[in-house]
Amino acid sequence: MKNIAVVLAGNGVYDGAEIHEATLTLLAISQQGAAYQCFAPDVDQTHVVNHISGEEMPETRNVLVEAARIARGNIKALSEYKAADYDAIIFPGGFGAAKNLCTFAFDGPDCKVNPDVEDAIKATVDAKKPIGALCISPAIVAKVLGDVKLTIGQDKGTADALESLGATHVNTTHGEIVVDEKYKVITTPCYMLDATITQIADGASNVVAKMLEMA
């Protein structure tokens, strides 16, 4: 049975992992006969957002602790990730990917990537194993790898920012994937488009299927 590492950025679209994307990724992995292990960096969130009002809240939360809600407690610190132990790694989206895993939401192409996230991506590439990225998560991959082919959907501003990092962006619609054969990176837009939960499931499933094929 193949085993996939799933990297979560917290819990909740505005300040953590997008819960639909995360859960449907786990479902796709299980439905396609593989196992998964959730990971998250053990760091404080950039901020906490009220998901009703959209306003910032005066409190501090930990990315690993919050992500454990999605993982039902079965989660490890990303610093423990070893590429040799897994067949692939995948990053669901959500603003947390661009706030907690890197600073793309604030700094664009000048963003910094969390060291554990960068190490995990580089180790996976060195091991010649697939990397999946949903929604805005391809921005992290672009920052780390540079000359990678990927998609975030159709948003020109974001696509231009990624191409300024050396990436090649391909416009896509619901459920479509883009495959970079050199780095074994598979991406899909998910909620970077105006999408239904069914369309999110299609994208996650298609990425997982390609990852397992390439693993």
Side-chain angles (χ1 to χ4, degrees), residues 81-105:
Y81 171 76
K82 292 180 174 57
D85 296 339
Y86 297 90
D87 296 287
I89 191 170
I90 188 167
F91 295 82
F95 278 106
K99 293 178 177 179
N100 302 328
L101 304 188
C102 71
T103 62
F104 186 82

Side-chain angles (χ1 to χ4, degrees), residues 191-204:
Y191 279 122
M192 286 298 289
L193 301 172
D194 185 11
T196 66
I197 194 168
T198 303
Q199 290 165 332
I200 300 306
D202 289 343

